[in-house]
Amino acid sequence: MLATKVIQDQGVHVEGINFYTGFCVEGHTHAIRKKDKDKQKKNSSLWVAEQLGIKLHIIDISEEYKDIVLNPKHGYGQNLNPCLDCKIDMVGRAWQWCQDNDFDFVITGEVVGQRPKSQRKSTMPIIARESQVQDRLVRPLCAHHLPETHPEREGWIKRENLYDFHGRNRKPQIALARSLGIDEWSQPAGGCCFLTDESYSNKLQDLWNARGERDYEIDDIMLLKVGRHIRPANNFKLIVSREEGENNFMRGYRPQFTYLYPTSHGGPLTLVDGTPTEADLELAARMVARFSQGRNEDNVTVELVRQHNEPAQALQVKPMPIDEIPDSWYVN
Amino acid sequence: MAQHELNARNLLCPLPVIRAQNKISELSVGDQLTVYCTDPGTLHDIPAWCRVHGHTLVSTEENSDEIVITIEVNDT
Ligand code: SF4
């Protein structure tokens, strides 16, 4: 936001690009989870664009992005976040977009040293080089720590009106924002991507381990955002909804899964991922009973649907005692 | 001034916005696009997208199980 404003204030026409990777936090999770209902559902990049008075193009790269997540040339950050490869890819796409739409250069809000892996001084030239944008990439907030770029040399923007921020201290940026009349902030980058989340990364890694291959479909990564994920064995996993919003969201996935739900008592919809045996399904039913309102009863009726739109099989089960569900089964 | 429809039901934001944006890029000035959605986030995001791009939000309707948003394409 700040980087855009700095360039706009030099009289340059700026438009925004926001890439949708499938791992974006906002929107989805808030829309799914009822308890988040009061949180703002607005899209923060659209909000920023509106504050700045610029157009924003939202581009779905979720399919192509798989390759970045599965095969990051520069490796992962603390979790399964391939930040450096991701930035190279996004800057490369932004530069291609510029060339297709008659724009002259790319700007990003990066600050040298702000992030341990992907925003170091040594990674800045890697992003510029590997994205092929070369010296048409301007980082207005830390330009004074970097070599002069083409737009500066051409006089399209003035170097003296760019900044020398570095490190994790955001105070100078906040002060600049105030002086430019910006007083409401959108969340800084990083908190908006599920791949930086430890629990989410563990679930993704578990999915790869269980399937014996590193791959995913968009539906897989959506479902990793909801429910309790419980894996009693390598061949199957349960996704147990935690509340009504998740229940409603997961209902949309019933055609693709075997699923269970209690009927004698209130309780969660549970999807079964994998290839469970009959004994596994019996165990699953007892766990569903455990998470139902009949958890303290001797007998709970759980319906099992092996294939959506086929008749349900009613199972009478005793809820599994909580101490029989080992912590190691919870994927988080 | 043709009328067009887009089914964005069961898609979560920002996908309905992306689909609407991509569809509008194929339409002509004066055309209207009606988008059918289920994610309540679209009530914020599609109007915001229209404001940002200078298209006219003709109407938003929230029924019990879906949201219907009509946009008129402007010359932007
Ligand atoms: S945190 Fe940002 S840079 Fe890192 S992987 Fe996610 S979207 Fe990409």
Side-chain angles (χ1 to χ4, degrees):
Chain A
M1 181 173 196
L2 207 44
T4 307
K5 183 84 177 121
V6 166
I7 295 297
Q8 271 185 310
D9 283 357
Q10 297 206 27
V12 175
H13 173 80
V14 183
E15 297 192 7
I17 304 182
N18 177 244
F19 293 107
Y20 171 72
T21 63
F23 294 99
C24 308
V25 172
E26 69 177 344
H28 286 99
T29 8
H30 297 168
I32 298 165
R33 298 203 65 182
K34 214 169 178 158
K35 79 176 180 61
D36 289 346
K37 222 179 167 136
D38 296 335
K39 285 200 184 151
Q40 289 279 20
K41 290 204 183 78
K42 69 186 178 197
N43 177 302
S44 65
S45 45
L46 275 168
W47 178 81
V48 168
E50 220 178 338
Q51 305 304 303
L52 295 169
I54 62 170
K55 286 189 179 177
L56 177 80
H57 310 276
I58 309 178
I59 302 178
D60 180 4
I61 58 166
S62 53
E63 270 304 318
E64 308 92 296
Y65 193 73
K66 270 189 190 176
D67 193 44
I68 305 291
V69 179
L70 298 174
N71 308 302
K73 195 171 131 198
H74 296 282
Y76 297 106
Q78 210 168 5
N79 294 299
L80 287 175
N81 47 315
C83 291
L84 187 48
D85 290 79
C86 173
K87 285 191 174 147
I88 293 167
D89 183 70
M90 289 186 186
V91 169
R93 287 176 192 281
W95 175 228
Q96 188 56 53
W97 187 94
C98 285
Q99 294 170 86
D100 295 343
N101 292 278
D102 263 343
F103 281 66
D104 297 308
F105 61 97
V106 176
I107 64 177
T108 68
E110 291 166 292
V111 170
V112 172
Q114 189 159 286
R115 306 217 170 261
K117 190 159 165 124
S118 61
Q119 288 191 41
R120 281 177 292 138
K121 192 156 187 179
S122 60
T123 59
M124 297 279 169
I126 298 176
I127 296 172
R129 191 174 59 242
E130 295 192 12
S131 64
Q132 298 187 11
V133 68
Q134 307 288 5
D135 63 353
R136 298 259 183 159
L137 173 59
V138 179
R139 282 99 164 195
L141 303 183
C142 62
H144 292 179
H145 294 290
L146 299 167
E148 202 178 28
T149 59
H150 184 81
E152 292 162 84
R153 279 197 300 277
E154 290 291 319
W156 301 337
I157 51 173
K158 288 202 177 81
R159 187 166 176 89
E160 60 267 30
N161 293 342
L162 304 179
Y163 290 85
D164 64 348
F165 300 150
H166 65 91
R168 307 186 76 119
N169 180 7
R170 284 182 176 266
K171 279 195 188 137
Q173 294 180 52
I174 294 170
L176 173 64
R178 293 239 165 83
S179 74
L180 295 175
I182 300 171
D183 43 30
E184 206 187 327
W185 288 80
S186 168
Q187 198 181 22
C192 51
C193 170
F194 266 113
L195 291 169
T196 60
D197 181 86
E198 186 182 352
S199 162
Y200 187 90
S201 294
N202 289 342
K203 288 178 194 152
L204 184 56
Q205 187 63 56
D206 166 77
L207 186 97
W208 291 341
N209 294 349
R211 293 190 184 166
E213 58 167 354
R214 289 160 51 84
D215 199 2
Y216 65 82
E217 298 301 327
I218 299 301
D219 283 341
D220 292 326
I221 63 174
M222 290 297 150
L223 281 169
L224 294 184
K225 298 176 184 178
V226 296
R228 288 185 185 88
H229 289 240
I230 304 174
R231 181 175 297 287
N234 208 45
N235 61 318
F236 79 110
K237 168 176 88 165
L238 306 182
I239 307 171
V240 186
S241 89
R242 291 172 293 193
E243 41 94 64
E244 193 189 330
E246 289 189 344
N247 224 65
N248 292 339
F249 177 71
M250 283 165 54
R251 283 169 64 84
Y253 284 92
R254 287 175 304 167
Q256 300 167 45
F257 289 90
T258 292
Y259 57 91
L260 304 114
Y261 50 90
T263 50
S264 55
H265 300 80
L269 172 65
T270 298
L271 305 176
V272 187
D273 184 30
T275 49
T277 63
E278 285 305 307
D280 294 337
L281 290 172
E282 170 85 22
L283 179 98
R286 293 188 60 212
M287 285 176 42
V288 172
R290 171 72 230 169
F291 290 110
S292 78
Q293 282 162 7
R295 62 181 67 87
N296 298 321
E297 307 289 332
D298 282 337
N299 189 45
V300 171
T301 308
V302 176
E303 297 214 335
L304 163 68
V305 180
R306 290 163 202 270
Q307 195 123 45
H308 192 47
N309 286 336
E310 287 193 1
Q313 178 186 351
L315 305 172
Q316 306 296 327
V317 295
K318 185 170 165 44
M320 189 173 234
I322 194 73
D323 54 6
E324 279 183 30
I325 307 179
D327 282 348
S328 60
W329 286 7
Y330 289 92
V331 189
N332 52 32
Chain B
M1 301 258 266
Q3 302 284 337
H4 301 264
E5 294 194 342
L6 177 70
N7 178 1
R9 295 179 186 97
N10 298 323
L11 294 178
L12 296 174
C13 280
L15 289 171
V17 186
I18 297 175
R19 299 281 163 90
Q21 169 192 268
N22 295 351
K23 182 76 191 166
I24 283 175
S25 71
E26 299 165 5
L27 304 185
S28 309
V29 173
D31 284 0
Q32 290 201 345
L33 177 68
T34 300
V35 193
Y36 297 88
C37 317
T38 46
D39 180 354
T42 54
L43 281 168
H44 290 275
D45 291 357
I46 293 183
W49 183 87
C50 289
R51 288 193 298 273
V52 158
H53 285 267
H55 299 297
T56 304
L57 184 74
V58 177
S59 61
T60 57
E61 239 177 82
E62 197 179 354
N63 304 325
S64 60
D65 55 351
E66 70 179 15
I67 293 155
V68 185
I69 302 176
T70 300
I71 305 161
E72 185 169 312
V73 181
N74 289 335
D75 188 8
T76 65

